[in-house]
Amino acid sequence: MEQPADQPSPRLVWLLSAGHTVDDLYQGAVPALIPFFVAARHWDYAAASGITVAATLLSSVVQPVFGVLTDRLRLPWLVPLGMSVAGAGVGLSGLGHSYVLTWLAIALSGLGVAAYHPESARLARAVARGSHVAMSWFSVGGNLGFALAPLIVAAMLGALGTGGTLPLAIPALICAVITLRALRGAAWANTGATARRVRDGSDEWGQFLKLTVAVVARSVVTFGLGTFLALYVEQRLHAGTAVGETALVVFYGVGALGTIVGGRLAERIGRVRLVRVSYLLGIPALVALWAAPGAAIFVAIIATAIVFYVPFSLHVTLGQDYLPSRFGTASGVTLGLAVSVGGLAAPVLGVIADHVGLRAAMAALIVMPVVATIAGLRLREPRSAGGARPAPVLAPAATSASASPSPSPSGS
């Protein structure tokens, strides 16, 4: 039977996932750009990590603001606008040789990322209708963006040099137009509730804060690896930029696979149990990455990517279910703020790398999954989810179809 035009559909899962791919392409482009800027402009590690701060500092400050706004207002236009600004910032980043101008352009991109995530996560949850698998497809879109970024950046800057960043903005502009047209014709995107209270209506702030600690700790690892993994692999293998970019592609590409696996495993063994195991396994994975000799480092990269990306989409749904009346805030923190804050640790790693060595900076990351494990052990399944699937968040027009199976990207 044909689905009503104003009802969320599997096609919209693909649309939002593709948009997430494009938006996070620009987050992934920042670490991919750094080795090229370092080689061409002779930056030290501290300067390189400063670019990561540019991508995360402004984003971290304004992310809660966008989250609160999406709790109170329906702002679907923030999705295409955010990805457009994210693309424009990266496109402008290589046009001048001034470090300050590059820093400001990357900061602009971070602002666009901050605007995009809370509202896109609200829309994705409405489309997912309670399915962990559907939410994992939305999340994996972001992972794919990170994975594609090194390939696209390497091809573009390899051909045009560090001044050839402007064409990188084109995917954002194209996808923004497509998304804007799709959302304009979707009544549910404009009338759907941003959040609603379920069961006893209480927000579990204590549990949410523990989750936030774990997400921040994981973010320090992923941003630290995003900033320095390519340089670390180049140093360990005495190889060139191409090998370092390949390491980033492997890390983010396998991470995307881990996100999909995480959504499916969560429906079998539960979200909290799965994130605890993932955090715990992150400790030996990082030790292996630090100690692996020669080409075995790629095996360690694969293991590290899997364990740190399996819980990625689960952080979002757990956060939304811990704060059932504040979906925008929960999404802004778990998908945006807590992730961005991890990038603020990059300068610390940069200072360690400059004064002690890059390998010492990588060793420092091992502390983070320990912190995440300790926080994860104190988590429990949210009351609003009944210990099982997350409560669906639907537009009024879609509630009549709530008895139908949850849509997935395959439509099954």
Side-chain angles (χ1 to χ4, degrees), residues 70-91:
T70 56
D71 279 334
R72 301 184 179 187
L73 303 169
R74 287 86 177 179
L75 304 171
W77 51 268
L78 277 178
V79 175
L81 176 63
M83 72 172 69
S84 297
V85 174
V90 167

Side-chain angles (χ1 to χ4, degrees), residues 170-319:
I170 294 174
L173 300 178
I174 294 174
C175 191
V177 171
I178 295 171
T179 303
L180 183 62
R181 293 187 62 177
L183 293 179
R184 184 179 295 167
W188 64 272
N190 295 286
T191 61
T194 57
R196 64 183 181 88
R197 294 187 182 276
V198 292
R199 294 201 169 190
D200 64 358
S202 63
D203 290 322
E204 299 180 74
W205 282 102
Q207 289 293 304
F208 183 75
L209 291 176
K210 293 167 190 172
L211 175 67
T212 300
V213 169
V215 175
V216 168
R218 173 198 172 275
S219 173
V220 172
V221 174
T222 54
F223 261 98
L225 292 177
T227 304
F228 294 113
L229 181 62
L231 297 172
Y232 181 69
V233 171
E234 291 169 24
Q235 183 184 98
R236 292 280 287 167
L237 299 183
H238 306 289
T241 303
V243 174
E245 295 292 307
T246 299
L248 280 178
V249 172
V250 171
F251 180 69
Y252 290 130
V254 174
L257 177 62
T259 300
I260 297 173
V261 171
R264 296 191 178 278
L265 286 178
E267 298 198 335
R268 293 176 178 269
I269 67 176
R271 290 175 292 178
V272 169
R273 182 181 301 173
L274 183 57
V275 297
R276 286 173 179 166
V277 172
S278 298
Y279 300 151
L280 184 61
L281 291 177
I283 301 170
L286 280 179
V287 171
L289 180 59
W290 175 80
I297 196 170
F298 279 93
V299 177
I301 290 172
I302 291 171
T304 301
I306 290 174
V307 298
F308 281 102
Y309 277 93
V310 158
F312 183 63
S313 66
L314 310 180
H315 292 151
V316 181
T317 60
L318 278 172

